[in-house]
Amino acid sequence: EVQLVESGGGLVQPGRSLRLSCSASGFIFDDYAMHWVRQAPGRGLEWLSSISWNSGSLGYADSVKGRFTISRDNGKASVYLDINSLTTDDTALYYCGKGLIRGDSGGYALEYWGQGTLVTVSS
Amino acid sequence: EVLMTQSPGSVSVSPGERVTLSCRASQSIDTNLAWYQHKFGQAPRLLIYGASTRVTGVPARFTGGGSGTEFTLTIGSLQSADSAVYYCQHYNNGPARWTFGQGTKLEIK
């Protein structure tokens, strides 16, 4: 059974940094692209970033480029999202997702999602 | 960045009926489109990719179509369990620059 478990969320002050983690199991992690998506309160889904199976291809939404950094550790079957200079606009539920297509740099779509980790940015 | 626009914003339909949701891309995306179902308090569920390919386990009453800039998701024989927000999502080849539509809220009366 595929499982994705996000962690690292919580209450953070504006201007601080945060690292979100996503631990994966139930599939060959090394073979798939991984993504981060968020949903702010009352808003829709927003794609944030992706990393290919070998970390050779990274992608970022224009809205977060330069402030968010994605990385992965295939030995730990984990993907990470580093967020700098947090603002109240970053308050959201952050999901990690597994790409659908094995070996593709992006994976086409997100076949499996975690339950999300909540980030609240407030002073 | 490709802009995805969904319509309508919300729709209310009776059980047993059929509904068609629309998604428009700001430029041609061939068939690089996926559809998701998102219920409150749950993770989103992938329904369709490649504009029309159903994911294993998705009922045949969910049908995706379109190419280029115009796409549709048709849901037949609507059930109360279909109440959710439906999102389209564009994907590209190479370094990912994906975008979601703003979603369509489907209510079953």
Side-chain angles (χ1 to χ4, degrees):
Chain A
E1 179 192 5
V2 172
Q3 285 198 324
L4 299 172
V5 180
E6 302 93 339
S7 61
L11 178 62
V12 188
Q13 291 181 326
R16 303 296 290 267
S17 298
L18 194 66
R19 165 170 272 207
L20 303 182
S21 301
C22 172
S23 178
S25 61
F27 64 99
I28 302 174
F29 184 78
D30 304 25
D31 285 352
Y32 292 89
M34 298 295 294
H35 296 249
W36 286 96
V37 174
R38 71 182 176 185
Q39 184 175 33
R43 306 291 296 275
L45 299 175
E46 180 186 15
W47 176 81
L48 299 175
S49 183
S50 74
I51 186 166
S52 63
W53 59 277
N54 63 353
S55 302
S57 181
L58 308 181
Y60 295 97
D62 288 347
S63 60
V64 304
K65 197 175 296 183
R67 204 163 58 86
F68 286 27
T69 302
I70 193 170
S71 60
R72 65 190 293 163
D73 184 336
N74 286 350
K76 295 182 178 180
S78 295
V79 61
Y80 308 99
L81 187 68
D82 292 304
I83 308 173
N84 295 323
S85 304
L86 281 154
T87 74
T88 54
D89 288 344
D90 294 318
T91 294
L93 184 64
Y94 286 73
Y95 295 100
C96 74
K98 168 190 170 291
L100 173 66
I101 303 299
R102 175 177 173 268
D104 184 81
S105 62
Y108 285 30
L110 297 183
E111 181 183 19
Y112 290 98
W113 300 60
Q115 290 300 312
T117 186
L118 182 62
V119 174
T120 302
V121 184
S122 174
S123 54
Chain B
E1 209 168 71
V2 179
L3 180 65
M4 307 301 294
T5 303
Q6 292 185 239
S7 62
S10 64
V11 61
S12 181
V13 190
S14 298
E17 294 187 345
R18 183 177 69 180
V19 69
T20 297
L21 313 182
S22 296
C23 176
R24 173 177 292 177
S26 60
Q27 63 190 70
S28 178
I29 59 171
D30 196 10
T31 55
N32 293 342
L33 186 99
W35 288 95
Y36 298 84
Q37 176 191 65
H38 192 195
K39 297 182 180 181
F40 182 77
Q42 298 183 18
R45 174 194 182 193
L46 176 64
L47 300 173
I48 302 277
Y49 67 97
S52 62
T53 302
R54 269 188 302 275
V55 172
T56 301
V58 174
R61 55 193 187 84
F62 289 83
T63 304
S67 65
T69 62
E70 301 286 341
F71 301 88
T72 58
L73 174 68
T74 299
I75 311 171
S77 303
L78 282 162
Q79 305 172 3
S80 58
D82 297 329
S83 292
V85 179
Y86 291 82
Y87 293 92
C88 62
Q89 171 238 312
H90 153 65
Y91 54 87
N92 61 302
N93 299 320
R97 293 192 72 199
W98 293 7
T99 48
F100 283 94
Q102 80 277 22
T104 291
K105 184 177 181 180
L106 172 63
E107 177 195 8
I108 310 303
K109 297 175 187 175

